[in-house]
């Protein structure tokens, strides 16, 4: 596959983005990236989901310590040229800006590292959708937020 083709990816905001008041900053960075946001999902992950998303023990433990089942998290469905690689780079840039001189590897956002991981993680997370909304940011005028659909 030519990586410059239009791809779908996603960006899941982690609980610390909300707890530390960084959600709006992350929203802005994603909107400025040039990637199209096609949908916004509100999801609530389980501990089992964390084990399916992260293969290694250290990321599992760190993510579980963030207590994700207590939070509704936003996940942006993104489209654009080379979207997976672009979002992968953007997540590291966002983390570096957030942590500043205390930069650590993880935090604030989760985005897939490969096309295969994008498909695998989206399948896992899609089972936990609480609400789906059309994009809040497109090239057209803002949408009516009352049109959001609740999934059961």
């Amino acid at each position: 596959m030519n990586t410059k083709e239009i791809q779908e990816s996603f960006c899941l905001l982690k609980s610390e983005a909300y707890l530390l008041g960084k959600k709006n900053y992350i929203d802005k960075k994603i909107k400025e990236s040039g990637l199209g946001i096609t949908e916004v999902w509100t999801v609530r992950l389980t501990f089992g989901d964390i084990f399916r998303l992260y293969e290694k023990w250290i990321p599992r433990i760190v993510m579980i310590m963030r207590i994700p089942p207590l939070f509704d998290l936003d996940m942006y469905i993104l489209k654009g040229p080379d979207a997976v690689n672009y979002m992968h780079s953007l997540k590291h840039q966002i983390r570096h800006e957030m942590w500043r001189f205390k930069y650590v590897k993880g935090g604030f956002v989760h985005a897939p590292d490969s096309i295969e991981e994008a498909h695998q993680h989206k399948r896992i997370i899609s089972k936990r959708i609480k609400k789906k909304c059309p994009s809040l940011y497109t090239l057209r005028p803002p949408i009516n937020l009352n049109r959001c659909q609740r999934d059961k």
Side-chain angles (χ1 to χ4, degrees), residues 126-142:
S126 69
K127 295 174 183 172
R128 304 294 178 226
I129 298 171
K130 294 183 72 181
K131 182 172 66 172
K132 270 188 193 181
C133 293
S135 175
L136 299 175
Y137 176 76
T138 61
L139 298 177
R140 55 194 157 94

Side-chain angles (χ1 to χ4, degrees), residues 4-48:
K4 296 298 179 192
E5 292 178 19
I6 300 298
Q7 295 176 345
E8 184 175 272
S9 189
F10 67 84
C11 176
L12 176 71
L13 275 62
K14 294 181 179 179
S15 56
E16 62 267 26
Y18 303 93
L19 292 170
L20 300 175
K22 301 298 184 182
K23 180 189 180 305
N24 290 338
Y25 179 79
I26 295 167
D27 287 349
K28 180 179 174 233
K29 295 298 283 185
I30 293 169
K31 290 172 184 172
E32 289 173 352
S33 75
L35 292 172
I37 302 171
T38 60
E39 281 186 315
V40 179
W41 297 357
T42 301
V43 300
R44 184 171 290 194
L45 302 178
T46 67
F47 290 119

Side-chain angles (χ1 to χ4, degrees), residues 62-135:
V62 170
M63 191 64 181
I64 285 172
M65 288 173 29
R66 293 180 177 128
I67 316 173
L70 299 179
F71 294 92
D72 288 345
L73 306 172
D74 289 328
M75 183 164 124
Y76 300 107
I77 306 301
L78 307 167
K79 271 197 177 170
D82 200 21
V84 173
N85 287 327
Y86 194 85
M87 190 59 227
H88 176 68
S89 296
L90 183 60
K91 80 176 173 184
H92 290 290
Q93 177 188 344
I94 289 169
R95 290 171 177 169
H96 184 73
E97 291 170 6
M98 294 292 161
W99 291 119
R100 296 186 185 167
F101 62 91
K102 299 182 224 174
Y103 180 67
V104 294
K105 186 176 177 192
F108 298 104
V109 295
H110 172 72
D113 297 339
S114 67
I115 293 169
E116 296 78 23
E117 190 175 276
H119 294 298
Q120 176 190 9
H121 288 196
K122 189 175 175 191
R123 272 193 306 276
I124 294 165
I125 297 168
S126 69
K127 295 174 183 172
R128 304 294 178 226
I129 298 171
K130 294 183 72 181
K131 182 172 66 172
K132 270 188 193 181
C133 293
S135 175

Side-chain angles (χ1 to χ4, degrees), residues 46-54 60 120-121 124 128:
T46 67
F47 290 119
D49 297 330
I50 301 304
F51 275 75
R52 285 185 285 285
L53 289 171
Y54 297 99
R60 286 177 176 176
Q120 176 190 9
H121 288 196
I124 294 165
R128 304 294 178 226

